[in-house]
Structures are given as structure tokens and as C-alpha cells.
């Protein structure tokens, strides 16, 4: 499990390599994504608070990157942060996402990106619940909920 110190170290020195890479041209991303998905994931945008599809979602499953389909977050680590965006305490595995220092808008934050295709997901903050203390604040437009397999 990652801690805030781990996040800062990874943002400054790089994350573990992903299991695979997906790279497409800008035209290919535009053809695949809606205008909002493209703005959020490829242009590092943010959807308005409390407007995203998964802000209040409670269904079980994995949240996968909208761009490449890589599973990134587990619904069991999702929590109500009151911030207006889906929030998670950790990724599904250490190399699923990567962190990057973000100094845009006159602030210093840590950006969360899909490690497979570099899609902007959101930002991470050190004010989440135990055990990690992390709040991965993720845009709904950057993910899709994939239902868990049904057991017979």
C-alpha cells in the first residue's frame, strides 16, 4: 500500500513500468472519446464537481481507464469524500497509475495518470481515510465501471 511519502517519491522519480503500453495519435483519441472524455484525459481537464457519472455510484466492480481499458481502481477502495469527484484510497496495483508533479494554476499538486496510456485521471491528496491516508480524486469522464464477474 502506498503512502503520501511514496506518492511524492514516485512523482519525483518515476513509477514502476506498466505491464503494457497503449499509444495512439491525437486524431485516434479524438475519434474514440467524447469531447468531455478527450478534454479530461488528453488535455488534463477537470469535470465540474458533483456532475460526474460515478460521483455517487456504489456498484461493485473495477474502474478502468476510459482510453485503454486498463483496470485502475477497485470499488471496494472507493469512499465518499464530499469533494464532488469519485475518490479512492489506492490503485488496483502499484504500476496501474503513475504520479506526476503538477504546478498548473499557481498550485503544486500531484497528478494521477494511467500508466498504460498516460490519460489524465485526476489528482491525489494526503487527506484520505486509513489505511493509506490517500484520496485519489478521479474524474468520472476518465474511467468506466466494469462489473465484477457473476458467480454461479
Amino acid at each position: 500500500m502506498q503512502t503520501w511519502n511514496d506518492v511524492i517519491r514516485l512523482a519525483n522519480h518515476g513509477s514502476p513500468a506498466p505491464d503494457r503500453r497503449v499509444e495512439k495519435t491525437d486524431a485516434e483519441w479524438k475519434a474514440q472519446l467524447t469531447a468531455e472524455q478527450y478534454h479530461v484525459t488528453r488535455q488534463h481537464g477537470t469535470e465540474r464537481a458533483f456532475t460526474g457519472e460515478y460521483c455517487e455510484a456504489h456498484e461493485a466492480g473495477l474502474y478502468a481507464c476510459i482510453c485503454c481499458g486498463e483496470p485502475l481502481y477497485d470499488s471496494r477502495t472507493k469512499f465518499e469524500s464530499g469533494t464532488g469527484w469519485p475518490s479512492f484510497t489506492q490503485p488496483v496495483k502499484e504500476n496501474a497509475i503513475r504520479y506526476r508533479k503538477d504546478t498548473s494554476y499557481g498550485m503544486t499538486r500531484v497528478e494521477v495518470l494511467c500508466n498504460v496510456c498516460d490519460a489524465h485521471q485526476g489528482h491525489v491528496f494526503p487527506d484520505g481515510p486509513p489505511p493509506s491516508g490517500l484520496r485519489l480524486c478521479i474524474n468520472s469522464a476518465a474511467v468506466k465501471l466494469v462489473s465484477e464477474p457473476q458467480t454461479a
Side-chain angles (χ1 to χ4, degrees):
M1 178 169 311
Q2 295 172 340
T3 66
W4 183 245
N5 288 337
D6 295 330
V7 167
I8 297 301
R9 179 182 51 78
L10 291 168
N12 290 327
H13 302 292
S15 297
D19 295 336
R20 64 186 179 106
R21 286 289 300 159
V22 172
E23 295 181 16
K24 295 184 179 185
T25 66
D26 195 51
E28 289 172 317
W29 288 126
K30 282 183 178 179
Q32 174 186 329
L33 304 168
T34 68
E36 182 180 32
Q37 291 167 342
Y38 179 82
H39 173 67
V40 169
T41 61
R42 308 323 302 178
Q43 296 179 316
H44 305 267
T46 301
E47 62 198 7
R48 286 189 349 261
F50 299 102
T51 64
E53 177 181 1
Y54 301 118
C55 183
E56 302 294 328
H58 300 286
E59 294 84 4
L62 296 176
Y63 289 83
C65 177
I66 197 69
C67 294
C68 69
E70 182 72 14
L72 303 177
Y73 318 100
D74 189 311
S75 63
R76 292 174 289 199
T77 67
K78 188 174 185 287
F79 68 98
E80 296 297 328
S81 66
T83 62
W85 291 274
S87 297
F88 302 88
T89 58
Q90 63 188 40
V92 294
K93 58 184 178 177
E94 188 175 335
N95 71 341
I97 61 174
R98 68 183 177 90
Y99 303 104
R100 180 169 66 186
K101 185 178 179 179
D102 177 4
T103 57
S104 62
Y105 303 106
M107 299 180 268
T108 299
R109 301 177 290 174
V110 177
E111 181 181 18
V112 176
L113 299 145
C114 173
N115 205 19
V116 171
C117 70
D118 301 327
H120 171 77
Q121 297 287 305
H123 291 85
V124 60
F125 303 94
D127 59 1
S132 72
L134 299 177
R135 173 173 54 95
L136 288 104
C137 191
I138 305 302
N139 290 284
S140 290
V143 294
K144 61 184 172 186
L145 179 61
V146 180
S147 298
E148 292 182 323
Q150 300 295 316
T151 55

